[in-house]
Amino acid sequence: MIDLHIRPERPADAASIAALLYAAFAGNQHSNHTEHQIVERLRAGGRLAVSLAALLPDGRLVGHVAFSKVTIDGRDEDWYGLGPLAVLPQAQGQGVGAALVEAGLSVLRRKGARGCVVLGEPAYYCRFGFAQDAGLRYPGPPPEYFMALPFAGPAPQGVVAYDGAFA
Ligand SMILES: CC(C)(COP(=O)(O)OP(=O)(O)OC[C@H]1O[C@@H](n2cnc3c(N)ncnc32)[C@H](O)[C@@H]1OP(=O)(O)O)[C@@H](O)C(=O)NCCC(=O)NCCS
C-alpha cells in the first residue's frame, strides 16, 4: 500500500488539482476533458462541498476527489454527488482512488449527509456500497452506471440533477 496523506484541498492546490484532473482524464474515452473546469466552477461558486487531495510523503499531489450537492426532483434532500475522482496515471492501481472515496464518504457522513450518488463504472464503485436504485433516476446514461449509497434511511425517489457546474 502506497504511503498516502489525504487532506482537504488548500487554496494553493488549485492549479495542481486542475493539472491532475486533466492528466488523469486525458485517456478516458467517456470524458470530454472538462473535469478541471467543473471543479473550478464549483469552487468559484462556493459549491465544492468536499474536496480532498491525496499526497505522497514528498508533497506531490497524486489524487483528488470532489463532492457537490445534487437535487432530487428539484429538492435539496442532503444528497451529494461524487465526482470527479482522479488519480495520476502513474499512481493508479495502488488504492489511492479507494482511499479518497472512503475518506470523502466519511466526511459526508460526519456532515450529516443522507446519501451519495455516483455516475461511473459499477465494477469500481460497488466496492464502496454503491448500487443501482430503480427509484433514483438520472436520465441519459445506461441506468447501471448511475448508483446510490444511502447513509440514513431509504433513498428518496425522483430524478437526480447535478450542480449547474456540470452542464
Ligand atoms: C478510476 C480511478 C480513479 C481509480 O483510481 P485507482 O487509484 O487506480 O483505483 P484503486 O487503486 O483504488 O482501485 C484499483 C481497482 O480499481 C479497478 N478499476 C480502476 N479503474 C476502473 C474502471 N474504470 N472500471 C472498473 N474498475 C476499475 C482496478 O481494476 C483495480 O481493481 P482490483 O482492486 O480488483 O485490482 C483512476 O483509475 C483514474 O483516475 N482514472 C481516470 C479518471 C477516471 O476515469 N475517473 C473515474 C470517473 S468514474
Side-chain angles (χ1 to χ4, degrees):
M1 175 67 187
I2 192 168
D3 189 4
L4 209 59
H5 174 52
I6 294 182
R7 60 153 175 76
E9 74 160 42
R10 295 175 182 160
D13 297 328
S16 317
I17 290 172
L20 178 141
L21 285 164
Y22 197 78
F25 281 94
N28 185 322
Q29 60 185 17
H30 301 298
S31 163
N32 55 8
H33 312 293
T34 58
E35 290 78 9
H36 57 298
Q37 293 164 350
I38 293 170
V39 170
E40 278 162 9
R41 285 196 290 267
L42 286 169
R43 187 185 291 122
R47 301 190 306 277
L48 195 46
V50 179
S51 175
L52 299 179
L55 301 107
L56 296 180
D58 64 8
R60 264 182 302 149
L61 182 81
V62 288
H64 176 259
V65 68
F67 295 81
S68 54
K69 268 264 172 83
V70 295
T71 57
I72 300 169
D73 277 350
R75 297 184 308 270
D76 178 353
E77 298 270 11
D78 248 323
W79 273 65
Y80 290 79
L82 186 170
L85 167 68
V87 176
L88 272 189
Q90 57 270 33
Q92 289 176 8
Q94 299 174 74
V96 179
L100 280 165
V101 171
E102 296 288 10
L105 293 174
S106 297
V107 174
L108 286 181
R109 284 190 170 98
R110 284 201 299 277
K111 281 164 71 82
R114 306 203 48 96
C116 186
V117 294
V118 68
L119 180 64
E121 287 291 340
Y124 187 65
Y125 289 104
C126 71
R127 69 192 66 198
F128 308 107
F130 285 96
Q132 199 182 335
D133 183 321
L136 263 185
R137 301 184 308 283
Y138 185 70
E144 61 271 25
Y145 286 88
F146 188 70
M147 292 155 280
L149 176 58
F151 298 150
Q157 312 261 294
V159 175
V160 177
Y162 281 83
D163 190 280
F166 286 82

